[in-house]
Amino acid sequence: MKFLVVDDSSTMRRIVVNSLQRIGFGDTVEAGDGQEALARFDDSVKFVITDWNMPNMTGTELARALRERGEQVPILMVTARSVREDIIEAMEAGVNNYIVKPFTPQILKEKIDALLAAAPVGA
Amino acid sequence: MTAAAPATRGDRLYDTAASLRLVDNELRAIGAEVPAAPAAPAPQVPAPQAPDLRGRLRALLDAPAEAPVGLAALPLILERVHSEVHAVLANLRDSRAAIESATVENLQRTSARLQEVTSATEVAATDILDALDRTQGMVDDLEAAEAADDRTQSAAVRDRMREEIFGMMGALQFQDITTQQIAAAASVLGDMEARLLQIARLFDPNAAMPGGGGTAAPDPRTFDPNATTRDASGRQALADAVFVTRDPAHPAAA
C-alpha cells in the first residue's frame, strides 16, 4: 500500500516515513507541500498523511482539493495545530483523522489501523 | 468658519510643520529687509515670496484679507502652532497606552515562546543523550550475549536497541515545532518593526529602516503561532473528542 507523506519539514517527513516502515508500510512517496502532493498523487496512492502548515498549499487545502476531485483516499492530518476550531476545520476539509505533534509511533499505528478498518482500500 | 473633518495626527503634524516653516520664512523675510552691516555682509537668503506667503498665512489662520500678516501675525501663528502641538501631543498620549499594551503583550508572548524553544531543545537533547547512554549499555549486553553464544538474548538486546534508536528519531520532532515557534516570534518582531517605522514616520516622513529594507517576515501559512511541544497527549485527546463528538461513528471512537 502506497502512502503519500506531505510535510514541508524534511525532518518530519523522515520521521513519518521511518515510523511507517517500522509499522510495516514501506511503500511511500514524499511531497514538500500541497501542490507537490497533488502533482504526485495518482491511483497508486492509497493513504495520505499530511501536515497543515506548508507554503503554496496547506494540508487543509490539499484535503479539499482531493475531495473536490472525488478522491476517497483516507487523509490523516499530522500537525502541531490543536485548537478546537482548527480540528473542526480539518474535518470539514475532508480530513479523516488527526494526530497532534509531537506524536508517538503507537498513535500513528492506531490511527492508520482505525482508518483502514473503517474504509478498507486496496493495497 | 466651516466645520472641517477631524484632522488626523498626520494632518496636524503636517500643518504644524507648515506653520513653523511659514514662521521661519517670515522671520527670514524680515531679516532680509534689515540693511546689512558693511563689515559683515548678510548671508544670501532666498527672495521672499511675499504675495504667496501672505496668502498662505491668511489661509492657514483662516484670517480675512485685511488681517495683519508678517511680524504682526506672529502671535497668532505661534498660538496656532502651540495649539497644534498640543493636539498632536494629546493624540500621541491617547495612542501610547494602546501601543504599550499591544507591544508589551506581544513581547511577553514572544518571550514565553522563545523560552519554550530553549526548554524543548533541552528536553529533546536530554532524551537523546539518555537514549544514547542506554544504547551504549546495550552494546555491552550484546557483546556479553554473543560471547555466551546466547542468540535469544542477542535478539532481545537488538530489539531494545532498535526501540531506542527509533525513540531518538521521534525526539527530533521538536525541531519542526521549534521552527514554527521561532517563525512566530520572527513574525511578531517584523510586525513591531513596521509599527515602529510608522511612528517614526509621524515625525519624519522619510524615516526608513537602516539598510533600506525591513525584516523579511516568514510566510504565515508555514507556521502555527500556537505550536507547542507541551501536553501532546492532552491535545491529542481533544482532537479525538472533537472527531467523535461531530461524528459518533468515527474510527477515533473505537
Side-chain angles (χ1 to χ4, degrees), chain A residues 11-12 15 18 22 53-54 56 61 81-82 84 91-92 96-103 105 111, chain B residues 163 166 169 172-173 175-177 221-224 227 232 235-236 238-240 242-243 246 250-251:
Chain A
T11 307
M12 281 309 301
I15 291 171
N18 198 283
R22 192 161 174 79
N53 288 101
M54 294 180 289
N56 303 317
E61 289 168 346
R81 299 182 85 105
S82 52
R84 180 182 297 273
M91 271 190 96
E92 290 173 351
N96 298 103
N97 216 325
Y98 202 96
I99 292 182
V100 171
K101 289 178 186 173
F103 65 93
K111 299 296 181 192
Chain B
E163 283 297 324
F166 192 59
M169 189 170 273
L172 292 173
Q173 287 182 66
Q175 191 267 343
D176 175 55
I177 293 166
R221 292 154 67 93
T222 61
F223 66 90
D224 170 19
R235 290 182 292 118
Q236 183 64 54
L238 171 68
D240 291 345
V242 170
F243 268 78
R246 291 176 70 89
H250 193 272

Side-chain angles (χ1 to χ4, degrees), chain A residues 6-69:
Chain A
V6 194
D7 200 309
D8 57 334
S9 160
S10 58
T11 307
M12 281 309 301
R13 286 202 305 272
R14 282 184 66 175
I15 291 171
V16 172
V17 167
N18 198 283
S19 301
L20 286 171
Q21 284 170 350
R22 192 161 174 79
I23 58 179
F25 300 107
D27 190 4
T28 55
V29 57
E30 298 178 34
D33 61 43
Q35 273 182 3
E36 192 185 342
L38 277 183
R40 287 177 180 257
F41 186 88
D42 60 28
D43 288 344
S44 68
V45 173
K46 302 300 179 191
F47 205 109
V48 175
I49 298 178
T50 183
D51 182 23
W52 184 313
N53 288 101
M54 294 180 289
N56 303 317
M57 181 184 272
T58 65
T60 48
E61 289 168 346
L62 169 64
R64 278 200 186 87
L66 287 172
R67 296 307 181 219
E68 280 167 12
R69 277 168 38 168

Side-chain angles (χ1 to χ4, degrees), chain B residues 9-250:
Chain B
R9 260 174 286 158
D11 291 341
R12 287 206 172 103
L13 279 171
Y14 182 83
D15 286 350
T16 305
S19 301
L20 289 170
R21 272 198 301 273
L22 287 169
V23 171
D24 184 50
N25 281 345
E26 194 66 17
L27 289 173
R28 280 169 182 264
I30 292 163
E33 287 163 11
V34 177
Q44 291 295 310
V45 294
Q49 300 165 334
D52 179 47
L53 181 64
R54 281 161 198 243
R56 284 161 61 197
L57 269 174
R58 285 199 180 94
L60 189 66
L61 297 169
D62 296 319
E66 64 275 11
V69 291
L71 196 56
L74 260 181
L76 285 173
I77 295 170
L78 291 173
E79 192 183 334
R80 176 70 179 266
V81 169
H82 178 260
S83 72
E84 282 173 357
V85 168
H86 254 276
V88 169
L89 287 175
N91 267 325
L92 288 176
R93 267 194 296 272
D94 288 345
S95 54
R96 189 181 64 186
I99 292 169
E100 273 179 358
S101 123
T103 307
V104 168
E105 206 173 287
N106 266 341
L107 278 176
Q108 285 172 340
R109 225 181 6 244
T110 304
S111 171
R113 215 170 263 142
L114 292 176
Q115 278 173 1
E116 199 189 324
V117 169
T118 309
S119 162
T121 309
E122 192 175 345
V123 166
T126 306
D127 285 351
I128 291 169
L129 283 172
D130 288 348
L132 284 171
D133 278 347
R134 288 192 296 269
T135 310
Q136 274 186 325
M138 288 174 203
V139 171
D140 297 337
D141 293 346
L142 192 59
E143 280 178 352
E146 285 178 352
D149 201 21
D150 186 344
R151 292 186 179 186
T152 310
Q153 177 65 5
S154 291
V157 173
R158 277 197 296 271
D159 283 347
R160 276 164 42 211
M161 284 177 78
R162 286 192 191 99
E163 283 297 324
E164 290 291 359
I165 291 166
F166 192 59
M168 283 186 257
M169 189 170 273
L172 292 173
Q173 287 182 66
F174 84 92
Q175 191 267 343
D176 175 55
I177 293 166
T178 54
T179 298
Q180 296 192 49
Q181 289 171 322
I182 290 169
S187 172
V188 169
L189 290 177
D191 181 55
M192 286 180 59
E193 183 182 287
R195 283 172 194 230
L196 285 173
L197 188 59
Q198 278 180 338
I199 292 170
R201 282 182 177 154
L202 279 177
F203 299 99
D204 176 6
N206 297 319
M209 285 296 165
T215 307
D219 179 353
R221 292 154 67 93
T222 61
F223 66 90
D224 170 19
N226 300 311
T228 179
T229 51
R230 292 180 180 151
D231 190 26
S233 57
R235 290 182 292 118
Q236 183 64 54
L238 171 68
D240 291 345
V242 170
F243 268 78
V244 172
T245 305
R246 291 176 70 89
D247 177 9
H250 193 272

